[in-house]
Amino acid sequence: MKKISAAMMCVALVIPQFSQAWGRTGHNAVAALAERYLTDEAKAAIHEIIGSDNYLWELSNWPDEIKADRDKWGYSFAWHYVSIDDHENIHGDFSRSKQGDIISALNEMEGRIIDKSLTKEERWQALAFYIHLVGDIHQPLHVGNRQDRGGNDIKVTWFGDDTNIHSVWDSRIIDLWQLSFTELTDSLDQKIDLSKRASAHKPIIEWAAESKRIRAQAYLGLETKKGELPRLGYRYGYVNGPMVRERLQQGGYRLAARLNFLLGK
């Protein structure tokens, strides 16, 4: 795993910046928060896969970093989100990508993580995808409308810079806090009793349903005159910061609970 970690570091240095749910800081914090709540049994099983000197947060951004290699990993790009319009029922028969989506990918990765017939490399890759995608599914716009591609087509300015509302939710609100991922992890950790988090054991589709229900908040405050871009800054970040924090917390706690269930047996 030491070689794997070094390789991931090299990729991170040379690839262009992609839009990533929660950005590097957010994904690292979700994984680091989860690691604080792992059982000894789950930790041992994870160390068997990734090595005892490595941490979950080191894997958390790998599924975004490999997007630089489109030829090899392009099939996985659709795993980072699911598209569903407001009028569609997420528990019904809505149109889904033939390449898969975040719901099907998370369910598949759960099976691969515990499949000891796979190679160690295949299992750590599945674990890396799982860690990352649990973060993604808690970013409301990764369960996005088709019409605006999860907010990617909603152009705004953020402190004067041209961007889109998806990017604001992915990373710019978090960046506004100016915290390292360890500081963010500390601020998110409420020292909870993980056994009382029943929502962690709901089917993954219920986490997606939550994001669909709350994503409308991202569009509030975007009204403007025709031809003008919404100008967002401190006020938008202040209003939506609490929801971002809550979703990061939920992602971290739920990731821990699921890994404890999958690997703590």
Side-chain angles (χ1 to χ4, degrees), residues 4-20:
I4 293 170
S5 295
M8 287 191 290
M9 289 292 289
C10 291
V11 172
L13 290 173
V14 301
I15 64 167
Q17 290 299 307
F18 291 98
S19 177
Q20 343 173 349

Side-chain angles (χ1 to χ4, degrees), residues 43-110:
K43 286 180 182 178
I46 288 169
H47 289 161
E48 183 181 336
I49 298 171
I50 69 173
S52 59
D53 295 329
N54 295 282
Y55 301 93
L56 294 186
W57 66 265
E58 294 179 287
L59 282 68
S60 65
N61 284 287
W62 179 79
D64 273 334
E65 291 163 358
I66 59 174
K67 289 178 180 178
D69 191 349
R70 180 176 292 273
D71 290 339
K72 182 176 180 179
W73 294 101
Y75 68 88
S76 70
F77 292 4
W79 296 357
H80 294 254
Y81 61 91
V82 61
S83 296
I84 180 168
D85 291 332
D86 288 338
H87 69 277
E88 293 180 299
N89 180 2
I90 201 165
H91 297 100
D93 187 22
F94 67 98
S95 178
R96 298 174 71 170
S97 170
K98 294 179 180 179
Q99 285 73 46
D101 56 42
I102 196 166
I103 300 169
S104 59
L106 278 167
N107 282 311
E108 180 180 346
M109 293 308 115
E110 285 194 342

Side-chain angles (χ1 to χ4, degrees), residues 4 10 32 37 49 51 56 73 89 103 109 122-123 140-141 144 146 151-152 158 173 179 187 195 198 234 241 246 251:
I4 293 170
C10 291
Y37 289 88
I49 298 171
L56 294 186
W73 294 101
N89 180 2
I103 300 169
M109 293 308 115
E122 289 171 327
R123 292 181 73 197
L141 293 178
R146 288 189 188 84
N152 278 289
W158 180 254
I173 292 175
L179 298 174
S187 73
S195 67
Y234 287 117
E246 180 180 36

Side-chain angles (χ1 to χ4, degrees), residues 164-225:
N164 60 65
I165 200 62
H166 188 104
S167 177
V168 169
W169 277 74
D170 268 0
S171 59
R172 293 176 187 252
I173 292 175
I174 295 174
D175 291 344
L176 193 61
W177 303 335
Q178 296 185 330
L179 298 174
S180 69
F181 87 83
T182 53
E183 292 171 329
L184 179 55
T185 305
D186 287 341
S187 73
L188 294 173
D189 191 356
Q190 297 180 330
K191 312 298 183 186
I192 66 163
D193 181 350
L194 195 61
S195 67
K196 295 181 179 179
R197 291 271 167 160
S199 62
H201 302 288
K202 289 183 178 180
I204 287 165
I205 196 170
E206 297 302 332
W207 300 349
E210 283 180 350
S211 283
K212 182 176 184 288
R213 283 196 299 271
I214 65 179
R215 70 188 184 190
Q217 179 170 323
Y219 296 88
L220 299 178
L222 302 187
E223 301 80 9
T224 187
K225 294 180 181 179

